[in-house]
């Protein structure tokens, strides 16, 4: 399915084609429109949340080309041809992603407002570990990092860009550890 | 198997992990337009002139200021939970400026960016007055406020005489800073008017019915013409319990432009458009005998309020009922009128501030008497509420202290400060106890048993992340004798049976009781039908022997049974509906004093060179009565503990002393705990069924868990460093 949405509002607008959750979407946005606003307001993908709109909380985390990005800190007009995944695109064949299931099992949320961002970050954390990326909590950066090294201190460090004011942190760590182990 | 007491996963879990749960700001209403606000850059004075012409020419739908916004009715007095305004001073009604960040103009445009940009074109000239801020000078002029929630002062016995005659005395001043809730979800409102003058509102609220009453009164709209919805709330913590100016502005804007209007606060606007926790300066005097038994407690607190409201932080409340004192207990509260927006309840209002002072002072007393802090608290435990003279309904304080201490391993602690080390770090342990107010409020609910054996629970309560959808399902499932999966729960809409505000940790005990009663009534209707209806399987007189389980009514010791579905079909009924009206006597009028209790234990690690305090581990033992869902209850507890970690180590809204405005208005300036700040947390529930508190046996939990984290950690910091920090937060410079 493809569609053209977005309307001129007097200012200059830019056409941009992005692939969101596997579908090509044709956007027409103002140059100043953030990816977050484009997702929420133009494409109706409201799972991605706006909590600070200035890169401080992680609630707006999405994946661009497989990497986690704060969508409030990047412009929609820069995403031409990119593959974007949002929380709405994590399920496969109607089945929850392992991280989503682990968040339910370990009660990794209360109000749920930070949860989309937490889960998008968590999915990326596991991929980053698999790719051998160390973190500030890695004891021996000389040694190749593997997903088995994703200890609780590692998860805490890697998930600290995502604030949760309900403060579900220990449960989030348990959920990520569980999902990492199963991955 | 009983559903109550099971650690059932949240029923709204799949909606929340897939992004499908729709919060207020996610709801799209066709034709909706956007409002943006202009806020005062000064804290005191008046608007000398305001030029909106450039904004009006920017292709917008409307520009509003005090000059053209319709007048509102004054907020009702006295303040009440039944029609609660967040702030008594209403927006865009006159040219006065009472606080920095006060809304002074609003632009409505078809796109948000457009509205925000046009708002920047509005030119304001002010007559500037010097703002009054809360500081050492102005606190000297503190006044006695009128009563707000509880009596402002209290006195039992003669506290001063008891203290004067004591062998050991403590007299100290403690301070807590201004703080902001900073829920992840910004406050938002979408307002729409129908042609017939009815108003529909999607609003971030913890109190649908209070909001409806207040809006009706202030805007002169009949209550029955207002519908408010909030199915999911992205955190409340008290900050979304009352009606704040932006909601009223969105409603009036929608009326003026004849379109639905969306207004969502920015993170920075949340520092002045809605409430915050007011700072306190508290003095405590304790007297005790050499055995640590208290002979007197005097606890006084001063907090700031805006020039137009008399909000009180009841910080000294805690001292009225936590410990016995043979001579007497006296408390008092004063306020200082300053240029700021109105403070409000923030987890945990009153108690979390007062306990920091009282339970720090108790630790000072433990050192002064040489008595172990746990022992000191056991010595001063009481079965009777010192304030009201009534016996406590249940008070598992002893259990909290003893079982918590055992779990923590308190006995291996060396009491001398700076005596425990791990490498270059000082390791230490601290404890504190707590008491939390129990609220009893009326609530209504409706339960429907359907022909397919499913059930529907409807009540106008809220799920702020507290698990209301889940626990109400458990209560109804057990009462009706159906599987939890068969029960659907609807919340968050004023068209449902009215419930109370979801504040004060009151939802389980009160809204929960209304669901219990409605489910009992529906079940009893079914039983009556099975006794007296068409082809009744049971006979009159067997009513008391009928059991419900797995969706089936069964006569005890027999094979005679009928499912709900068959019963309804046999009687040609589509469903059975029952309503309940839970209407308890207010707590202070009952025969027993009802409170929740806990004792908490913290181990911290202090870097003596850098002054950095890290929490190593934490044990909390809680008496919150019967626990309905240990999984969601544990989550509330860890949330409360971490909330307390923020209070004691990080959080502080700083005010510029000259400009009178909050300075750190975002997450990079206002620090909240992150994942890396938090270790494993160990939670124990030690309470028993409390029949006075609620027919469900439950007492409040959510707020309780955030109360005594600060003194426990502050006491541990003293144990580590020998430094007693009496002014929160315990930031590094205070330890260097
Ligand atoms: S909304 Fe993007 S980081 Fe907070
Ligand atoms: S679950 Fe509420 S903010 Fe994280």
């Amino acid at each position: 399915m493809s569609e053209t949405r977005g309307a001129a509002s007097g200012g200059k607008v830019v056409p941009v084609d992005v692939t969101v959750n596997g579908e090509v979407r044709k956007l027409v946005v103002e140059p100043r429109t953030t990816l977050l606003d484009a997702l929420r307001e133009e494409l109706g993908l409201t799972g991605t949340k706006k909590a600070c709109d200035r890169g401080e909380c992680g609630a707006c985390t999405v994946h661009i080309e497989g990497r986690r990005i704060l969508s409030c800190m990047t412009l929609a007009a820069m995403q031409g041809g990119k593959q974007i995944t949002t929380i709405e695109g994590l399920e496969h064949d109607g089945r929850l992603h392992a991280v989503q299931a682990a968040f339910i099992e370990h009660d990794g949320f209360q109000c749920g407002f930070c949860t989309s961002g937490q889960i998008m970050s968590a999915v990326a954390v596991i991929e980053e570990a698999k790719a051998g990326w160390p973190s500030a909590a890695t004891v021996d950066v000389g040694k190749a990092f593997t997903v088995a090294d994703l200890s609780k201190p590692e998860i805490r460090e890697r998930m600290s860009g995502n604030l949760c004011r309900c403060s579900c942190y220990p449960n989030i760590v348990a959920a990520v550890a569980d999902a990492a182990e199963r991955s | 198997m009983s559903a109550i007491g099971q650690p059932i996963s949240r029923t709204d879990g799949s909606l929340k992990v897939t992004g499908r749960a729709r919060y207020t700001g996610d709801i799209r209403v066709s034709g909706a337009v956007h409002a943006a606000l202009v806020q005062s850059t000064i804290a005191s004075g008046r608007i000398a002139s305001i030029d909106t012409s450039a904004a009006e020419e920017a292709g917008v739908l409307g520009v509003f200021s005090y000059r053209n916004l319709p007048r509102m009715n004054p907020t009702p007095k006295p303040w009440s939970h039944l029609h609660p305004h967040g702030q008594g001073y209403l927006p865009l009604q006159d040219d006065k400026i009472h606080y920095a960040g006060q809304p002074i103009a609003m632009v409505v445009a078809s796109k948000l960016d457009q509205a925000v940009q046009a708002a920047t074109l509005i030119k304001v000239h002010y007559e500037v007055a010097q703002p009054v801020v809360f500081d050492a000078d102005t606190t000297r002029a503190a006044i006695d406020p009128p009563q707000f929630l509880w009596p402002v002062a209290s006195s039992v016995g003669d506290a001063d005489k008891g203290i004067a005659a004591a062998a050991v005395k403590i007299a100290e001043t403690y301070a807590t800073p201004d703080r902001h809730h900073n829920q992840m979800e910004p406050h938002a409102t979408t307002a729409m008017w129908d042609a017939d003058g009815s108003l529909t509102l999607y609003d971030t609220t913890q109190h649908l019915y209070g909001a409806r009453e207040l809006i009706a009164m202030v805007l002169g709209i009949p209550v029955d013409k207002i519908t408010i919805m909030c199915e999911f709330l992205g955190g409340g913590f008290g900050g979304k319990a009352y009606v704040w100016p932006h909601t009223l502005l969105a409603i009036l804007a929608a009326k003026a432009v004849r379109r639905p209007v969306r207004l969502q606060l920015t993170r920075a606007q949340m520092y002045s458009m809605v409430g915050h926790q007011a700072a306190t300066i508290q003095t405590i005097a304790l007297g005790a005998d050499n055995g640590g038994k208290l002979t007197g407690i005097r606890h006084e607190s001063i907090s700031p309020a805006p020039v137009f409201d008399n909000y009180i932080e009841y910080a000294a409340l805690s001292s009225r009922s936590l410990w016995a004192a043979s001579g007497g207990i006296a408390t008092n509260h004063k306020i200082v009128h300053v240029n700021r927006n109105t403070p409000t309840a923030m987890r945990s209002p009153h108690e979390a501030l007062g306990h920091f002072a009282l339970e720090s002072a108790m630790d000072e007393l433990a050192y002064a008497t040489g008595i172990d802090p746990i022992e000191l608290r056991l010595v001063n435990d009481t079965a009777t509420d010192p304030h009201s003279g009534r016996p406590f309904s249940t008070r598992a304080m002893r259990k909290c202290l003893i079982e918590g201490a055992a779990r923590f391993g308190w006995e291996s602690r060396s009491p001398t400060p700076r005596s425990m080390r791990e490498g270059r770090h000082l390791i230490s342990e601290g404890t504190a106890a707590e008491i939390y107010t129990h609220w009893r409020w009326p609530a209504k609910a409706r339960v429907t048993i359907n022909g397919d054996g499913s059930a529907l629970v409807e009540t106008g309560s809220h799920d702020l992340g507290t698990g209301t959808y889940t626990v109400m399902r458990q209560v109804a499932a057990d009462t009706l004798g159906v599987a939890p999966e068969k029960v659907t729960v609807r919340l968050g809409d004023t068209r449902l049976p009215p419930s109370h505000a979801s504040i004060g940790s009151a939802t389980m005990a009160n809204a929960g009781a209304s669901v219990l009663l409605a489910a009992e009534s529906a079940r009893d209707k079914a039983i009556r039908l099975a006794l007296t209806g068409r082809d009744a399987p049971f006979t009159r007189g067997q009513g008391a022997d009928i059991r419900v389980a797995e969706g089936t009514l069964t006569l005890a010791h027999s094979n005679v049974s009928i499912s709900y579905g068959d019963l309804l079909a046999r009687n040609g009924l589509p469903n059975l509906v029952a309503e309940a009206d839970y209407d308890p006597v207010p707590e202070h009028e009952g025969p027993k004093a009802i409170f929740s209790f806990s004792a908490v234990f913290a181990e911290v690690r202090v870097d003596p060179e850098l002054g950095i305090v890290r929490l190593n581990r934490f044990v909390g033992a809680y008496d919150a009565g019967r626990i309905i869902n240990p999984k969601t209850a544990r989550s509330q507890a860890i949330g409360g503990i971490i909330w307390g970690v923020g209070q004691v180590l990080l959080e502080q809204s700083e005010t510029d002393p000259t400009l009178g405005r909050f300075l750190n208005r975002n997450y990079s300036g206002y620090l909240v705990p992150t994942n890396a700040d938090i270790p494993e947390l160990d939670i124990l529930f030690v309470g028993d069924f409390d029949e006075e508190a609620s027919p469900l046996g439950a007492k409040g939990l959510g707020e309780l868990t955030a109360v005594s984290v600060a003194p426990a950690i502050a006491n541990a910091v003293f144990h580590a460093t020998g430094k007693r920090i009496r002014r929160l937060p315990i930031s590094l410079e205070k330890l260097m």
Side-chain angles (χ1 to χ4, degrees), chain B residues 442-705:
Chain B
K444 293 189 167 100
R446 180 164 53 232
V447 168
T448 305
I449 302 171
N450 293 314
D452 61 0
S454 69
L456 175 66
V457 173
E458 295 171 290
T459 182
S461 187
H462 322 76
D463 194 328
L464 337 176
T466 42
T468 313
Y469 282 109
T470 311
V471 291
M472 296 307 174
R473 172 188 262 194
Q474 290 172 269
V475 169
D478 272 12
T479 313
L480 297 172
V482 300
E485 305 76 56
K486 294 267 184 198
V487 181
T488 301
V489 178
R490 287 197 59 216
L491 307 169
D493 189 323
T494 50
R495 288 166 296 191
L496 301 173
S499 196
H500 54 83
S502 287
I503 56 173
S505 303
T507 301
M508 192 71 260
N510 297 286
S514 72
V515 170
L516 174 73
L517 298 183
E520 282 177 352
S521 169
R523 178 199 63 200
D524 292 347
K525 271 192 178 174
I527 291 174
R528 272 198 302 281
L529 198 58
L531 294 171
T532 61
R534 197 181 297 164
D535 294 335
F538 310 125
T539 53
R540 279 170 211 274
Q542 291 179 333
D545 294 324
I546 294 171
R547 307 280 173 265
V548 290
E550 289 163 39
T552 301
L553 295 76
T554 307
L555 183 66
H557 318 295
S558 84
N559 293 328
V560 188
S561 67
I562 186 166
S563 70
Y564 282 124
D566 289 347
L567 179 68
L568 289 173
R570 193 175 289 186
N571 287 277
L573 295 173
N575 55 33
L576 272 180
V577 186
E579 302 208 352
D581 187 351
Y582 177 63
D583 194 10
V585 292
E587 191 279 333
H588 64 273
E589 290 172 17
K592 301 277 179 71
I594 310 170
F595 290 88
S596 301
F597 301 91
S598 91
V600 300
F601 305 81
E603 180 185 284
V604 305
R605 184 170 79 244
V606 180
D607 182 322
E609 275 136 54
L610 298 177
I612 296 171
V613 180
R614 306 278 303 167
L615 184 62
N616 262 3
R617 60 193 185 93
F618 194 95
V619 172
Y622 304 98
D623 168 15
R626 178 163 69 147
I627 299 299
I628 306 300
N629 183 329
K631 189 181 236 180
T632 55
R634 179 181 172 277
S635 291
Q636 280 210 23
I638 63 174
I641 294 164
I642 297 167
W643 196 268
V645 172
Q647 179 195 11
V648 63
L649 297 179
L650 298 168
E651 294 178 34
Q652 176 171 31
S653 308
E654 291 171 68
T655 302
D656 183 294
T658 314
L659 300 173
R661 68 166 81 128
F662 289 121
L663 290 171
N664 46 341
R665 299 185 303 258
N666 50 58
Y667 283 127
S668 59
Y670 185 99
L671 303 184
V672 300
T674 69
N675 207 322
D677 295 320
I678 303 303
E680 294 293 307
L681 306 171
D682 193 1
I683 311 298
L684 264 76
F685 295 117
V686 304
D688 291 322
F689 194 102
D690 186 327
E691 61 185 6
E692 291 288 334
S694 163
L696 278 169
K699 302 195 282 190
L701 174 69
E703 309 262 24
L704 173 76
T705 55

Side-chain angles (χ1 to χ4, degrees), chain A residues 138-182:
Chain A
T138 306
V139 183
D140 180 2
V141 290
K143 182 174 149 273
F145 198 90
T146 72
V147 76
D149 299 318
L150 214 44
S151 62
K152 288 193 169 179
E154 282 281 355
I155 294 171
R156 288 184 190 122
E157 173 64 28
R158 291 167 189 253
M159 290 297 294
S160 276
N162 290 82
L163 299 179
C164 175
R165 194 57 164 151
C166 298
S167 304
C168 309
Y169 298 130
N171 292 0
I172 292 169
V173 173
V176 178
D178 189 4
E181 207 171 295
R182 287 163 198 248

